[in-house]
Amino acid sequence: MSHQYQAIGWNRQKRVYDVVVLAAVMLYIALFIGLGALLFPYATAETLIIRAAGSAAFLLLHVVLCIGPLCRLDSRFLPLLYNRRHLGVVTFLLGAVHGIFAIIQFHSLGDKDPLVSLLTSNENFRSLPDFPFQQLGFLALLILFLMAATSHDFWLRNLTPPIWKTLHMLVYVAYALLIGHVTLGLLQSETSPVLAVVTGAGLVTVLSLHLAAGSRERTVDLKELNPAGKGFVDACSVESIPEKCAAVVSVSGERVAIFKFDGKISAISNVCRHQNGPLGEGKIIDGCVTCPWHGYQYLPETGGSPPPFTEKVSTFQTQIVDGRVWIDPKPKAPGTRVEPSKISVSGVSS
Amino acid sequence: MIQPLRNTHRRIFLALALLLPALFLSGIAFRHTWPVSAKSKSPTLGSVPPGATR
């Protein structure tokens, strides 16, 4: 939400996040190569680099994939989401190091172009144990490159959030390709069961978290609201909404965040214009609804960002009747001012 | 706007929850059985050296 262009809007949290990630990655690689050289004297330096970078990328991809559902299930994980795109870029860079060293080691000494050799040296597509697993890794790396290259807000803004989100769902294809790459590659020659168990545990963790979070989201989506009078629907009780927070309900197939603040009720779209973040899981800070993902802000009465910012979300007409919040299912145009319903002692809005 | 994406996401993971474990378990089940060095009588059939790559 910047009115003045900056390639990256650095702040203290982003710097701390990146320093911790880079330190952890460097430590992991140093330990992997150091211990690997001690425990496996047959392994060459190139092999250790290939394995260190590849395993770090694979591990980091698991972390990236777990952050989303963890945040859906428990808001304490939200700080991890803040700079997740940087984790994705680091994952790609580690994968690129792995790929480049692997191509140099295994495909650069023959007559063929290394890339041609990578794509044609093994065509046993019908054999599971001899499957050309390197092609799977190469395809996954291409997807990770595409995602890293479009991770900046410039692309998010130009592609629009729905298209950008759809594009970045390719990460699941990349993950599937990498499970194939590891299972049909490394695990075929590995005699110890440890790596297979760790890979299986990672797979189960990612799948379980996403299925659990998806199931929870579906419960909210499927909850039908009872019709009230005048075309409104009965959304929730006023008391159920914590002060300066929201209740999230599904109306006409989309989610609406109903905020309570300073004795008033306002309802806006639950979808942040930045990255479709869940506004209803944010709080009202300095009079503005603040997205829990990246801090984009909106005025609850208008759905518009405070000047000089220009983002707008839809607003909804509300009423308070007998301590219940009624909501008009028809959204107002983004940025349309709607007077908040005042919470009165009698339980009827003024 | 967002609900179709959520539905797509849910369908993707339902598919992955079936496909990936099947791929993983098949890959493990049908992998090459490497000779074990302690039982091997031939020096050329030793086990894959630790740290070696395919």
Side-chain angles (χ1 to χ4, degrees), chain B residues 11-34:
Chain B
R11 287 193 197 104
I12 288 172
F13 264 88
L14 284 173
L16 289 182
L18 295 174
L19 287 175
L20 290 186
L23 169 67
F24 178 71
L25 294 174
S26 311
I28 298 293
F30 291 103
R31 71 182 195 152
H32 289 298
T33 49
W34 297 95

Side-chain angles (χ1 to χ4, degrees), chain A residues 187-270:
Chain A
L187 295 185
Q188 296 300 309
S189 59
E190 184 61 40
T191 50
S192 161
V194 174
L195 282 179
V197 170
V198 171
T199 306
L203 176 60
V204 168
T205 304
V206 168
L207 292 175
S208 305
L209 283 174
H210 277 268
L211 291 175
S215 168
R216 184 166 157 169
E217 297 289 305
R218 190 167 169 78
T219 307
V220 178
D221 284 339
L222 291 180
K223 188 177 178 185
E224 290 191 7
L225 301 179
N226 295 324
K230 305 173 194 171
F232 282 61
V233 291
D234 184 354
C236 60
S237 69
V238 174
E239 284 179 0
S240 67
I241 311 173
E243 178 65 15
K244 296 196 188 301
C245 292
V248 177
V249 295
S250 188
V251 176
S252 306
E254 286 300 342
R255 290 190 184 178
V256 178
I258 305 169
F259 279 91
K260 181 161 85 176
F261 59 103
D262 304 332
K264 294 179 283 185
I265 293 284
S266 278
I268 62 173
S269 165
N270 189 50

Side-chain angles (χ1 to χ4, degrees), chain A residues 15 24 42-43 73 79 82 105 129 139 142 144 148 151 168 180 186 205 232 252 271 276 283 295 307 313:
Chain A
R15 288 195 183 93
Y42 289 98
L73 296 168
Y82 183 63
Q105 175 145 318
L139 273 177
L142 286 182
L144 292 180
S151 66
H168 281 240
L186 175 69
T205 304
F232 282 61
S252 306
V271 183
N276 294 345
K283 291 179 181 174
V313 296

